[in-house]
Amino acid sequence: MNIIWSKTINPGDRWSGNICKGRLVKFTALEAGANLAVLMYNFRNLSEHYNMPDTLKAQHTFYLKKGYALMSDCGRAMASIVEDELGWHDSISGYTTRKMTDEKYGLTNYQKDSNNYFKSGQENFINELTKNGMSKRDLMPPINLFSKVEADPAGNLVYHENHCPKEASVTIRTEMDIYLVLSNTPNPLDPKTFYPSVPVRVEILPAAPVDGLDFCVNFMPQTRRAFENTWEYNLLLGI
């Protein structure tokens, strides 16, 4: 299948862009131990966004893998996970802040270190959101692709350091026109005291038309309902 567009997101870097429905977005970890924080918004109405609580609650899950829809706060499937070599992606740990980054990896800043300073997920997201007239108020918990975080019997969150091998990939399919925002910054629960350095390749490809037999559509009744909400939305917009 032809690759429409490709880009490597280097450690600490960020990217955002508009992607129409019916596209595959493939993410590949170019080294072991990647973490790519992901936000998404409805391109046609930026107030509608990926909603972590609704996505997890509606689909009775704690993490994300192939089959799950990435739902908006309006109950629509914004995207779905169609290929996944890891079987677990973190959706609860959030993103790093400036304070957290300084305390964990050492104090750096642009004035002293230029573009080599250690970026935080929060800063990266805000810098990208401002390009679309958005701000800190538009932030929400991201998806942390390639990371596994689970709860132990005592309820403590546990980060799995060896979860993501080199060349592991995950692919989402856009179910509506989205504004995608990416930050290649550490998972907040990653215990390493050195700033992780794992580039991630992003490729966009055409997706085959979705029908009623699609794996993600039929993953569970709640997932199908989210797809139906999106189909109705797209139909009424004529897209």
Side-chain angles (χ1 to χ4, degrees), residues 7-15 33-37 96 98 101 105 108 110 114-128 182-187 194-200:
K7 183 179 182 66
T8 297
I9 312 297
N10 290 316
D13 281 357
R14 64 183 193 269
W15 179 86
N35 183 82
L36 187 70
T96 53
R98 179 76 264 151
T101 302
Y105 306 112
T108 61
Y110 179 78
S114 188
N115 288 326
N116 294 320
Y117 80 98
F118 298 151
K119 286 87 169 178
S120 74
Q122 185 182 65
E123 290 171 306
N124 275 356
F125 282 141
I126 292 173
N127 285 335
E128 289 302 308
L182 309 176
S183 177
N184 188 353
T185 41
N187 187 292
F194 60 89
Y195 195 85
S197 181
V198 182
V200 175

Side-chain angles (χ1 to χ4, degrees), residues 5 7-10 12-19 36-41 43 46 95 115 117 119-140 179-185:
W5 177 87
K7 183 179 182 66
T8 297
I9 312 297
N10 290 316
D13 281 357
R14 64 183 193 269
W15 179 86
S16 65
N18 303 318
I19 306 174
L36 187 70
V38 179
L39 297 176
M40 64 182 66
Y41 303 80
F43 168 70
L46 293 172
Y95 45 72
N115 288 326
Y117 80 98
K119 286 87 169 178
S120 74
Q122 185 182 65
E123 290 171 306
N124 275 356
F125 282 141
I126 292 173
N127 285 335
E128 289 302 308
L129 292 176
T130 57
K131 296 177 180 179
N132 262 333
M134 304 164 78
S135 67
K136 184 177 181 179
R137 65 178 293 180
D138 297 293
L139 290 172
M140 78 288 300
Y179 172 50
L180 184 70
V181 190
L182 309 176
S183 177
N184 188 353
T185 41

Side-chain angles (χ1 to χ4, degrees), residues 3 6-11 13 26-36 85-86 145-146 164-170 184 196-203:
I3 297 173
S6 178
K7 183 179 182 66
T8 297
I9 312 297
N10 290 316
D13 281 357
K26 181 178 180 180
F27 304 95
T28 303
L30 299 184
E31 298 293 342
N35 183 82
L36 187 70
E85 296 180 351
L86 292 172
L145 295 178
F146 305 111
C164 173
K166 181 179 179 179
E167 298 297 327
S169 68
V170 55
N184 188 353
S197 181
V198 182
V200 175
R201 183 172 63 242
V202 184
E203 297 168 307

Side-chain angles (χ1 to χ4, degrees), residues 49-61 69-76 222:
H49 54 76
Y50 164 73
N51 186 281
M52 177 269 281
D54 287 354
T55 295
L56 301 186
K57 176 180 64 178
Q59 296 173 109
H60 309 295
T61 188
L70 308 178
M71 296 183 185
S72 77
D73 51 334
C74 295
R76 291 190 269 260
Q222 295 87 346

